[in-house]
Amino acid sequence: MERVTEPELMEQPLQVAAYTAADFDSTDEEFISRLHEFLAAKGIKPDSKTLFLDLGCGPGNITTRITLAWPESKVVGIDGSAEMLKQANKIIETNKFQNHFQNISYYLSNLSSDSNALVEFRNSADVLVSNSLLHHFHCPNLFWKVIKELAAPGAIIFNRDLRRPSSLKIAIELQRKYLPNAPEILTTDYLASLGASFTVAEVRNQLQNSGMNSLKVLPIDDRYLEITGIL
Ligand SMILES: C[S@@+](CC[C@H](N)C(=O)[O-])C[C@H]1O[C@@H](n2cnc3c(N)ncnc32)[C@H](O)[C@@H]1O
């Protein structure tokens, strides 16, 4: 099916509340365990000097898990939606693991339009991650430009995103399989996200156009793709 873009930022309060309340635990845990494996395979042991950047962090599902996995490291979540960051801050302020979240900070920035606002992080991220962000970009080249700007030399890049199915029928099957009882707003967003996402071949093309051939793209199970490597 043809790609159809969706709004970049998730800003509507009801949409943000539904996303924050959704149970993505198993896929979020899987993200962290694959990141663990990837870092170990590259011989990287994050420590107090390591800066993780989580782009398009939303309510911080991945950001908080990173800090629990690597408590000494500094972790910065960046999102262009003030509503999402309101939820993210609320979660770290009220969570029973609050003491573990002291190394997290959140920044409001629209990565496709004002990356200048992130000047303090330029060339500084040791580990750059994103989960379900690339497909939001109307122009994916801007996503790769931001990754290049923020990465320190030799940075680890670890992105996971949805992969566009070949038909609407398959998209609906995926939605029924993975979000069977979700509220309507989340179901609509999920289908829109599948339709806005890229194929493996399209992402490979983006990387080639951006001169980022050191990154590899792999299909993961029936709905994701993973883009990883060292810059
Ligand atoms: C599907 S959510 C994923 C949230 C989080 N990464 C997670 O795994 O739960 C996508 C997030 O990316 C943010 N986003 C989309 N486009 C963005 C952009 N251009 N700049 C900054 N954030 C963006 C949205 O506001 C939203 O919070």
Side-chain angles (χ1 to χ4, degrees), residues 8-10 19 56-58 61-62 79-81 84 109-112 131-133 136-137:
E8 290 202 345
L9 302 181
M10 295 175 68
Y19 190 88
C57 61
N61 297 355
I62 297 294
D79 205 285
S81 160
M84 276 291 187
S109 176
N110 185 333
L111 295 164
S112 65
N131 183 43
S132 285
L133 175 64
H136 280 277
F137 275 64

Side-chain angles (χ1 to χ4, degrees), residues 107-110 113-122 150:
Y107 278 73
L108 181 67
S109 176
N110 185 333
S113 61
D114 61 11
S115 61
N116 280 343
L118 295 173
V119 75
E120 64 182 290
F121 297 120
R122 196 161 287 174
L150 298 176

Side-chain angles (χ1 to χ4, degrees), residues 172-192:
I172 292 169
E173 281 166 15
L174 290 171
Q175 177 267 310
R176 288 189 179 144
K177 179 172 171 188
Y178 291 111
L179 284 181
N181 303 312
E184 194 182 333
I185 193 162
L186 198 60
T187 303
T188 307
D189 273 356
Y190 190 68
L191 286 172

